[in-house]
Amino acid sequence: MARKAAAGTGTIRKKTVKRGGKEYTYWESRATIGYDPGTGRQIQKSFTGKTQKEVAQKLKAATAAIDEGTYTAPSKMTVSQWLDIWTAEYLGAVKPRTVDNYKGVVRSRIKPGLGAIKLDALTPHTIQSFYNGLSKPHNGSQGLAPKTVKNIHGILHKALQQAVSNGYIKVNPADHCILPRAVRRELKPMDEDMITAFLKAIQGHQFEEL
């Protein structure tokens, strides 16, 4: 039996479905979260949960956010799809060479690791694990240098910040990730024998005088 939700914005009902010969029971609520600007039709969102109380809480939170104008409807867009949009539409003020660099990093680094994830499902922990994986040796090759990981983070952070500005996600999940610390290598100046060998080796080179 349907039960009216707070302020009459939705209903909560118990549903049973069959999958693979087994029955599954859950609670569901549908609520109007806005209107299509083109058709004027209602846009509805379904909230599900294991208990009636869980669904009621989800519905109440969504209703409050809608009233305050802060509700963001979940998007079906993936991280990969958003990155394609971002690199195509939001880098107009960036130098062409930098744009090419961004696209290269997106294609070779970010998409393989995070591209398939839904944009609104991307979490700080997922991104942190992605960064950690980039730093670790893999298949006999060394992990990426801390500076390279930092550059990747900078590009991803910018893309996600634009998604926040567009209202696709509420917060930037890359905000509080911990980046690998750069380790300074000890400088080892050449001794006299090495200097002599170096000067001998560059004799006749075009940059010998320099």
Side-chain angles (χ1 to χ4, degrees):
M1 183 177 181
R3 172 189 167 189
K4 286 197 172 184
T9 55
T11 58
I12 300 176
R13 60 181 178 176
K14 194 174 185 179
K15 297 186 70 175
T16 300
V17 296
K18 280 189 176 182
R19 293 174 183 169
K22 294 184 179 180
E23 287 191 348
Y24 297 89
T25 300
Y26 64 96
W27 290 84
E28 180 189 52
S29 171
R30 295 186 65 83
T32 300
I33 60 173
Y35 294 87
D36 188 304
T39 64
R41 294 179 180 177
Q42 292 182 346
I43 300 174
Q44 291 198 323
K45 163 67 181 170
S46 177
F47 302 91
T48 60
K50 294 181 179 180
T51 66
Q52 186 177 15
K53 181 179 179 181
E54 179 186 352
V55 175
Q57 290 174 339
K58 290 181 179 180
L59 179 61
K60 183 178 179 181
T63 300
I66 291 169
D67 291 340
E68 294 172 2
T70 60
Y71 180 76
T72 301
S75 171
K76 294 182 180 180
M77 187 187 304
T78 63
V79 172
S80 180
Q81 290 171 329
W82 167 242
L83 289 172
D84 286 341
I85 295 171
W86 179 70
T87 53
E89 305 290 343
Y90 292 93
L91 297 179
V94 180
K95 294 180 180 179
R97 198 174 202 177
T98 303
V99 172
D100 289 341
N101 176 55
Y102 282 7
K103 288 182 177 179
V105 171
V106 165
R107 181 180 62 255
S108 64
R109 299 297 184 184
I110 302 177
K111 279 189 176 183
L114 303 173
I117 301 172
K118 292 289 183 61
L119 181 61
D120 65 339
L122 190 61
T123 66
H125 179 70
T126 301
I127 298 174
Q128 184 67 59
S129 296
F130 168 63
Y131 291 159
N132 293 346
L134 293 175
S135 302
K136 295 178 180 178
H138 182 67
N139 291 336
S141 62
Q142 293 184 344
L144 298 183
K147 184 178 180 180
T148 302
V149 176
K150 186 177 181 180
N151 290 340
I152 293 171
H153 166 73
I155 294 170
L156 178 62
H157 188 276
K158 287 180 182 178
L160 294 177
Q161 194 58 46
Q162 186 62 55
V164 173
S165 299
N166 286 21
Y168 296 145
I169 51 178
K170 291 182 179 180
V171 296
N172 190 331
D175 270 345
H176 302 295
C177 290
I178 299 173
L179 301 178
R181 183 172 60 90
V183 179
R184 290 186 177 181
R185 295 182 179 179
E186 182 181 354
L187 295 178
K188 295 182 178 180
M190 294 187 290
D191 57 26
E192 291 185 6
D193 291 339
M194 294 174 67
I195 293 174
T196 300
F198 172 71
L199 293 175
K200 184 177 180 180
I202 64 170
Q203 287 180 1
H205 192 277
Q206 59 177 329
F207 297 124
E208 177 182 359
E209 293 184 5
L210 178 63

